[in-house]
Amino acid sequence: MRYGYFDDEAREYIITRPDTPLPWINYLGNQGFFSLISNTCGGYAFYRDAKLRRITRFRYNNVPHDEGGRCFYICDGDVTWSPAFLPAKTPLDSYRCRHGLGYSVFEGEKQGVSAQLTCLVPMGSPCELQKLTLRNNNKEVKRLTVYGAVEWCLWNAVDDSTNYQRNWNIGEVEIEGSTVYHKTEYRERRDHYAFYSVNAPIAGFDTDRDTFLGRFRGWSEPVAVENRTSYNSKASGWAPMAALRLEVALAPGEEKSFLFRLGYVENPEAEKFSAPGVINKTRAHALLSAYDSVAQFDAALSELKAYWAGLLSRFTVKSSEEKLDRMVNVWNQYQCMVTFNMSRSASYYESGTGRGMGFRDSCQDLLGFVHLIPERARERILDIASIQFADGSTYHQYQPLTKRGNADVGSGFNDDPLWLIACTCAYIRETGDFSILDEPTPFNNEAGTEVPLLEHLRRSAGYTISHRGPHGLPLIGRADWNDCLNLNCFSREPGESFQTCSNFESGKAESVFIAGMFVKYGQEYADLCERIGLKEEAAAVRLAVSDMEKAVLAHGWDGEWFRRAYDAFERPIGSRQNEEGQIFIEPQGFCVMAGIGGPDYGRKALRSAEERLGNEFGIELLAPCYTEYHDYLGEISSYPPGYKENGSVFCHNNPWITLAWCKVRDGNAAFDLYRRNAPAYIEDKSEIHRTEPYCYSQTIAGRAARTYGEAKNSWLTGTAAWSFAAVSQGILGVRPDYDGLTVDPCLPDFMDGCRISRLFRGTRYEITVRRGDDKGLTADGKKLDGCTIPLTDAPVCSVLVTI
Ligand code: BGC
Ligand code: NOJ
């Protein structure tokens, strides 16, 4: 069943009832100021870093879930309601939530009063705007008491939820007109404060949460709201908040709009105070006057829409498959931008406190956004490379605020270095900007250690070459892409993190997956070397690649599929010799994409994957699932069967199989897998799938799980980038290349063709794909050999591909 529908024209998903199976969220913000916003208006805001600059409070483990966030109350006689249903929970006469690109709209109606609440973060401004429009559809005058409220987080989200002996003493606010300023810790080392304001005179306020709510009450029934009053409380310690009260009279048919503004301000040290103890509000005033009127708000919304329209016009498809089109044209690319901004930090599953920007995550995410924001992709690559160590290994994560490697998570994930080659090559193929290879880039962020970025790539490849085990395959280290395959960890300590616990380096545990990666990205690195004139290096790398290929064929092939690894005792994993975990998805994807063993091995491996791992929602990660914990396997065997890495459909790696099917030219199999977990295609199963039908989730519980088909961890997953790569570069076959744009579709038989528009290196390629006997490609009427269209200066190039 469905809980809403896609409005393709408006690029919105429209949710028609508040009781979605889980909160269905959206993201606001493009740079700096970000918010998460659910279909009942829950969520939180932060500035740049979800852990260190948390602006509003959110309780992940709360019951009821997702209460709080932006709290709007409309009091009409005895009835109190919220335009987004929560927090008041009063049943509405009508409800809609429209999640758009960078904005969300809530439309509620009760007793002939309609409310439309639109929330957005304007381009380039550190604030969230909330426009509340109220309309009286009755024949009598309505006198309404209206509240808008937020609860402040005391900045560091971890301290905020742990260090109460301090927290309950430090909260401080200032009130000025219709604005509440949150200035906790500003008196000492912070140079930032936040504010909540409305563009109309208020009738009262509260800034002390417990005064506003009253004893024994939650957000659904604040005592101030029940009494239609404010206590004008001034928070001093405890839990500071901002509740603004408006008294609104609406004549029959009358409509009034109010603009609420949640803002963040940083002041230079010398300008912190305007008088002793009084915060300098100059920047806040400027922000408030930039967004003081409905006209200014509307302009901000138009600007946002134009920004997204511009971005998304870079790649569009028109086909007979409306679901395919809406994934490609809107939602998949949108999610790629969200993963660019958030990495794996803040979602309704990622608390924003534990994980910064992942090295491998960000490198892979780049594959999905490099065509949208190439300049920012460039900066991202250099930031990532700067946390690499001189020996080619890397920190696993960095913090967005400092861009420093995160020592808490450490290093030793031996796939990490190779992802740097993957993303740098993808960037250069997209942009033609070889100059990035010359960019001086430090190791471990240490000044004085800078070398050209190319040297980082060299050390990445070198690290894999020089860290191999008994079978000549790459050592796995702490883990490879599968964070839970911890073959050197042997943890027996309850609760110990598998990601950071001490690692006994056996010098033996090897990864066939990294071998596949090396064959693929080693070749890409060799091609790059060749292009920039490093012929000898190219030849040496090719030799290493071919050695690796041989090692995989000798020790990584199990007869019907590729093995997964060798454990610390040199025993195979992912082999028919094993009782459980006989076959894993990852090496089937990567070894086939890398072309190891050619199409025959490829088809065999992919067929085995389908037969043994395939279900209605995709390909499961492994089978049979581990039923017991094994210390020589680590976290993977800690999950109950069918969940997460232990045999769910781990959506991130399904597109590898889609791409692998394209590699062996089976368009039917590729598309069949693509549609099994593309959100728009499974919208009808929302009561089973449960997460948002407009974005990918990390996992879908496998057949071995009690909740087979249920997804978790929506939004922040490498699935977004890889699915976009699979559909755009594999199925639709549009691949940026050094010398031009390759167009090589691999469509399922039932599709007759499609039209694609792709902006590439300043030229817009208008591509028509059709079926016919005269196979081949013509560009601007000229028949070409092969399927790569050479670069051109022309603004438009029209391409006809006959398949
Ligand atoms: C999860 C992995 C994740 C890892 C990162 C594990 O608990 O299962 O999916 O990559 O944590 O910290
Ligand atoms: C999620 C992590 O973010 C990613 O880095 C990892 O590759 C997968 N889980 C698989 O474990």
Side-chain angles (χ1 to χ4, degrees):
M1 81 181 254
R2 300 180 185 197
Y3 294 79
Y5 59 93
F6 287 92
D7 181 338
D8 295 327
E9 192 67 19
R11 299 192 175 110
E12 292 176 350
Y13 191 81
I14 301 185
I15 300 166
T16 48
R17 43 194 286 184
D19 60 339
T20 46
L22 293 161
W24 282 3
I25 76 161
N26 192 13
Y27 283 87
L28 313 179
N30 292 298
Q31 215 157 7
F33 194 106
F34 293 102
S35 300
L36 284 65
I37 187 163
S38 71
N39 63 308
T40 49
C41 224
Y44 59 91
F46 62 92
Y47 184 74
R48 280 181 61 195
D49 188 314
K51 175 178 176 187
L52 301 173
R53 294 284 186 279
R54 185 77 64 100
I55 297 170
T56 52
R57 211 170 244 174
F58 185 80
R59 296 171 180 81
Y60 274 85
N61 228 348
N62 213 16
V63 277
H65 192 24
D66 193 33
E67 221 190 22
R70 303 147 191 85
C71 300
F72 285 93
Y73 305 90
I74 297 169
C75 309
D76 177 5
D78 290 344
V79 176
T80 301
W81 58 283
S82 299
F85 181 68
L86 287 186
K89 288 195 250 180
T90 305
L92 300 175
D93 297 338
S94 73
Y95 158 95
R96 291 208 310 176
C97 162
R98 294 163 35 207
H99 282 319
L101 307 182
Y103 67 90
S104 289
V105 184
F106 304 88
E107 295 166 342
E109 190 163 354
K110 189 78 187 167
Q111 301 191 143
V113 174
S114 56
Q116 188 185 61
L117 173 68
T118 306
C119 303
L120 60 86
V121 170
M123 300 290 302
S125 290
C127 60
E128 177 182 318
L129 307 178
Q130 304 156 350
K131 184 179 84 168
L132 178 66
T133 301
L134 299 169
R135 190 185 154 78
N136 178 6
N137 305 314
N138 295 282
K139 299 217 161 57
E140 319 78 52
V141 173
K142 280 280 183 189
R143 291 185 195 287
L144 308 173
T145 302
V146 176
Y147 299 80
V150 295
E151 183 183 6
W152 302 116
C153 180
L154 307 182
W155 302 115
N156 180 324
V158 171
D159 291 352
D160 184 67
S161 56
T162 49
N163 194 5
Y164 301 105
Q165 60 82 28
R166 172 177 163 84
N167 296 349
W168 287 341
N169 293 284
I170 58 177
E172 286 192 294
V173 295
E174 279 182 34
I175 299 118
E176 180 193 63
S178 298
T179 307
V180 172
Y181 292 88
H182 175 226
K183 60 170 189 174
T184 300
E185 290 189 340
Y186 189 81
R187 59 165 59 244
E188 27 121 353
R189 292 154 297 173
R190 293 195 182 275
D191 61 0
H192 42 271
Y193 59 80
F195 61 81
Y196 194 52
S197 176
V198 62
N199 71 338
I202 52 172
F205 62 85
D206 273 293
T207 67
D208 179 64
R209 184 197 64 197
D210 297 342
T211 307
F212 178 72
L213 294 183
R215 188 116 161 83
F216 306 121
R217 289 162 183 262
W219 293 102
S220 61
E221 44 167 7
V223 70
V225 175
E226 186 173 295
N227 293 331
R228 276 67 173 133
T229 190
S230 306
Y231 300 105
N232 294 351
S233 56
K234 302 210 171 70
S236 182
W238 296 111
M241 65 150 341
L244 307 169
R245 180 167 60 93
L246 300 167
E247 295 294 340
V248 182
L250 290 175
E254 195 185 2
E255 187 176 284
K256 281 188 184 158
S257 291
F258 302 93
L259 203 51
F260 290 82
R261 288 103 16 127
L262 174 67
Y264 171 91
V265 169
E266 275 175 9
N267 276 333
E269 182 66 27
E271 296 168 29
K272 274 179 73 170
F273 297 98
S274 60
V278 180
I279 60 177
N280 180 345
K281 303 184 184 66
T282 313
R283 287 181 169 77
H285 291 159
L287 204 52
L288 287 170
S289 55
Y291 303 108
D292 207 34
S293 67
V294 167
Q296 287 165 321
F297 176 90
D298 291 346
L301 180 57
S302 304
E303 194 189 358
L304 196 61
K305 288 187 175 175
Y307 165 75
W308 279 105
L311 274 188
L312 297 180
S313 71
R314 290 168 169 247
F315 194 118
T316 61
V317 64
K318 177 95 193 83
S319 76
S320 52
E321 285 287 290
E322 118 184 306
K323 294 171 182 159
L324 171 77
D325 294 2
R326 65 171 65 115
M327 284 315 309
V328 172
N329 296 340
V330 185
W331 297 98
N332 196 170
Q333 296 195 69
Y334 184 55
Q335 189 177 356
C336 287
M337 285 298 289
V338 172
T339 60
F340 162 70
N341 284 320
M342 300 287 134
S343 190
R344 304 296 171 268
S345 70
S347 75
Y348 265 36
Y349 304 84
E350 301 280 9
S351 65
T353 61
R355 302 173 65 188
M357 312 294 284
F359 190 99
R360 78 157 84 86
D361 294 329
S362 294
C363 289
Q364 291 171 87
D365 291 346
L366 189 134
L367 307 176
F369 64 73
V370 62
H371 68 294
L372 296 170
I373 43 166
E375 320 73 39
R376 296 178 76 188
R378 187 181 210 273
E379 182 188 347
R380 178 61 58 83
I381 291 172
L382 298 172
D383 287 346
I384 295 169
S386 304
I387 62 163
Q388 188 173 29
F389 299 110
D391 71 352
S393 67
T394 76
Y395 268 123
H396 195 48
Q397 287 179 8
Y398 69 94
Q399 290 309 126
L401 208 56
T402 60
K403 297 191 176 176
R404 301 273 150 167
N406 183 348
D408 293 344
V409 182
S411 61
F413 296 83
N414 281 355
D415 62 317
D416 273 337
L418 293 175
W419 294 114
L420 185 65
I421 297 181
C423 74
T424 308
C425 291
Y427 168 79
I428 300 174
R429 283 196 300 261
E430 178 68 40
T431 59
D433 172 21
F434 283 89
S435 76
I436 192 173
L437 296 173
D438 304 327
E439 253 345 295
T441 312
F443 291 113
N444 190 15
N445 272 300
E446 278 163 25
T449 62
E450 291 82 359
V451 292
L453 178 69
L454 177 69
E455 183 60 30
H456 284 259
L457 270 51
R458 180 173 293 132
R459 300 207 187 175
S460 290
Y463 184 84
T464 308
I465 295 171
S466 60
H467 288 74
R468 282 180 294 161
H471 301 91
L473 297 165
L475 290 174
I476 197 166
R478 185 171 279 291
D480 61 20
W481 172 88
N482 190 329
D483 271 335
C484 299
L485 197 57
N486 313 118
L487 303 182
N488 293 312
C489 139
F490 296 92
S491 176
R492 309 275 338 161
E493 185 64 35
E496 181 176 58
S497 160
F498 291 96
Q499 308 295 313
T500 56
C501 64
S502 64
N503 212 29
F504 144 76
E505 186 45 78
S506 61
K508 291 195 176 143
E510 298 166 294
S511 163
V512 178
F513 170 79
I514 302 181
M517 266 188 97
F518 182 76
V519 173
K520 179 164 164 54
Y521 296 127
Q523 281 172 31
E524 291 195 12
Y525 179 60
D527 292 348
L528 183 69
C529 288
E530 185 116 17
R531 252 165 213 283
I532 55 176
L534 301 173
K535 295 221 167 352
E536 278 172 32
E537 186 171 356
V541 176
R542 283 196 212 290
L543 209 60
V545 165
S546 120
D547 277 355
M548 192 67 85
E549 207 167 346
K550 283 184 200 135
V552 172
L553 290 173
H555 306 290
W557 179 251
D558 202 59
E560 302 282 329
W561 58 81
F562 292 99
R563 290 181 178 170
R564 179 62 178 85
Y566 282 90
D567 70 14
F569 308 102
E570 299 182 46
R571 299 173 303 199
I573 293 178
S575 157
R576 61 176 66 248
Q577 295 172 31
N578 302 111
E579 245 171 72
E580 297 177 334
Q582 291 181 337
I583 174 170
F584 281 64
I585 187 174
E586 305 99 309
Q588 319 317 325
F590 251 85
C591 294
V592 179
M593 278 198 279
I596 299 175
D600 288 349
Y601 275 55
R603 283 197 200 95
K604 207 177 238 192
L606 296 175
R607 273 200 297 268
S608 299
E610 182 57 54
E611 271 162 31
R612 290 169 176 258
L613 304 172
N615 75 29
E616 170 189 351
F617 297 98
I619 309 279
E620 293 166 355
L621 194 144
L622 61 84
C625 303
Y626 295 110
T627 51
E628 283 170 40
Y629 176 66
H630 301 288
D631 62 2
Y632 62 90
L633 293 173
E635 186 169 7
I636 196 161
S637 60
S638 78
Y639 285 115
Y643 291 102
K644 289 279 273 180
E645 278 84 347
N646 191 13
S648 73
V649 172
F650 208 94
C651 299
H652 183 139
N653 50 36
N654 274 238
W656 299 344
I657 301 288
T658 305
L659 283 162
W661 279 120
C662 293
K663 175 92 182 173
V664 300
R665 304 303 298 170
D666 190 331
N668 289 334
F671 195 85
D672 176 57
L673 177 55
Y674 172 77
R675 64 152 190 83
R676 271 188 263 169
N677 51 40
Y681 278 90
I682 49 177
E683 187 194 8
D684 286 346
K685 299 177 196 163
S686 285
E687 81 286 9
I688 300 167
H689 187 68
R690 301 187 80 224
T691 53
E692 296 90 332
Y694 44 89
C695 70
Y696 284 95
S697 295
Q698 183 196 55
T699 70
I700 303 175
R703 287 164 296 176
R706 210 173 304 157
T707 60
Y708 170 51
E710 181 188 46
K712 290 198 184 95
N713 298 11
S714 56
W715 283 103
L716 304 186
T717 160
T719 316
W722 276 107
S723 296
F724 189 69
V727 69
S728 62
Q729 303 193 14
I731 295 172
L732 300 175
V734 180
R735 293 192 284 275
D737 227 319
Y738 295 111
D739 301 322
L741 189 68
T742 297
V743 185
D744 181 21
C746 187
L747 297 182
D749 291 343
F750 73 84
M751 277 179 74
D752 284 337
C754 60
R755 284 169 180 276
I756 300 162
S757 179
R758 171 61 147 107
L759 189 65
F760 176 64
R761 311 252 193 118
T763 302
R764 179 161 292 284
Y765 292 83
E766 298 291 0
I767 304 164
T768 303
V769 182
R770 63 163 194 203
R771 294 201 183 268
D773 294 332
D774 50 338
K775 310 233 180 288
L777 187 151
T778 62
D780 282 337
K782 226 172 86 195
K783 182 104 188 156
L784 300 179
D785 290 336
C787 46
T788 302
I789 311 153
L791 295 171
T792 158
D793 289 335
V796 180
C797 175
S798 96
V799 182
L800 180 66
V801 187
T802 310
I803 53 170

